[in-house]
Amino acid sequence: WRWVMPDLVARLADEAAEVRREAARSLGFWWKEAGMENPPGADLWRAVFLADLNDSDPRMRGTTACFISEFARWMAPALPVLIGALGDSDDVVRAQVALRLGEMGPAVGAALPALSGLLRDPAWHVRAYVRQAIRQIHGQVPGRNPPPPASH
């Protein structure tokens, strides 16, 4: 795969958005599999995903949020942009971003104030994912949370 990597990194700057997206996804999975900490082209790679968070198509913004959690180790510098995406006009995107931030766990504690602001979101599924994300960021695993303390 090493002989393909320079070509994929070059495709991150391609004119066509679809080519950039596919190159970014492929590189991300390879880097993750290889356990790379500081892969070549990571800044340009991150820029592709961040641009897709601002795409005019809400499906693209939601799909991008899904991929971001897969590659959390390289997305940390972009946390402010992810937190900003919690304010997306599309409820599905807000739900996806909340879900993915939760999957990133305690490392994204800076997202808690913005997530807490969505506890009153008009969309019930956004509120549900926000509650789950807050639990995950606090280190609790959904479905395995400790029972509430017994009352005396």
Side-chain angles (χ1 to χ4, degrees):
W1 60 270
R2 289 176 189 239
W3 59 271
V4 175
M5 189 162 322
D7 183 52
L8 284 174
V9 170
R11 289 177 188 259
L12 291 173
D14 196 277
E15 221 174 270
E18 190 60 34
V19 171
R20 291 191 306 270
R21 289 177 189 129
E22 290 306 313
R25 290 174 184 156
S26 296
L27 280 168
F29 284 117
W30 279 357
W31 292 341
K32 184 178 177 186
E33 188 68 27
M36 298 179 87
E37 291 302 320
N38 191 18
D43 289 337
L44 188 55
W45 173 87
R46 195 170 20 255
V48 169
F49 279 103
L50 296 179
D52 284 348
L53 275 176
N54 293 313
D55 194 274
S56 62
D57 182 353
R59 291 172 299 182
M60 178 53 65
R61 296 192 307 267
T63 299
T64 300
C66 292
F67 279 99
I68 285 172
S69 69
E70 282 288 325
F71 312 125
R73 76 171 72 172
W74 305 300
M75 291 307 292
L79 186 59
V81 176
L82 294 174
I83 292 170
L86 288 169
D88 196 278
S89 62
D90 188 87
D91 60 315
V92 174
V93 174
R94 290 192 307 275
Q96 282 291 337
V97 173
L99 174 67
R100 302 313 170 178
L101 284 167
E103 290 174 351
M104 294 166 80
V108 296
L112 286 169
L115 284 165
S116 295
L118 289 177
L119 287 170
R120 291 193 174 108
D121 194 276
W124 69 269
H125 60 282
V126 172
R127 294 190 306 270
Y129 283 127
V130 164
R131 284 191 298 272
Q132 177 180 326
I134 290 170
R135 285 193 304 269
Q136 288 174 306
I137 292 170
H138 282 296
Q140 300 171 337
V141 180
R144 295 186 183 168
N145 294 337
S151 59
H152 292 15

